[in-house]
Amino acid sequence: MKHVTPQLSIPLGIHAHNDCALAVANSLSAVDAGAVLIQGTVNGYGERCGNADLISVIANLQLKMGKECLPEPRLEAVNRALPLCE
């Protein structure tokens, strides 16, 4: 992705499945390589072994990589909605 991104004039993203328990890691790596969109699901529910868990992705991007994904009011809204996803 690092080699392709500079050659394109369109934003790139990732849609990772969790077949080997690497969807979050692959998503974070894609962002590090230039991706600006991550497709995933809350709690990782999805086809096959699931998709990238956006809760884990957001936490890692904001707290460990210093990239703002959601402003504070949106994070609070997600936090209130999480019990509804169980």
Side-chain angles (χ1 to χ4, degrees):
M1 188 170 226
K2 282 184 180 179
H3 302 290
V4 174
T5 303
Q7 299 175 27
L8 299 173
S9 61
I10 58 170
L12 295 178
I14 184 168
H15 176 96
H17 286 267
N18 206 32
D19 294 359
C20 295
L22 294 171
V24 170
N26 287 334
S27 297
L28 297 174
S29 182
V31 168
D32 199 37
V36 295
L37 169 74
I38 298 174
Q39 292 181 339
T41 61
V42 173
N43 294 332
Y45 298 131
E47 294 177 356
R48 300 190 332 234
C49 292
N51 300 103
D53 179 1
L54 292 177
I55 302 305
S56 296
V57 169
I58 292 168
N60 277 280
L61 286 173
Q62 292 207 176
L63 299 174
K64 294 182 178 178
M65 296 174 72
K67 297 183 181 290
E68 184 180 27
C69 302
L70 294 172
E72 198 68 34
R74 296 275 187 184
L75 282 175
E76 292 168 7
V78 169
N79 189 41
R80 286 190 305 274
L82 283 178
L84 303 173
C85 297
E86 295 179 356

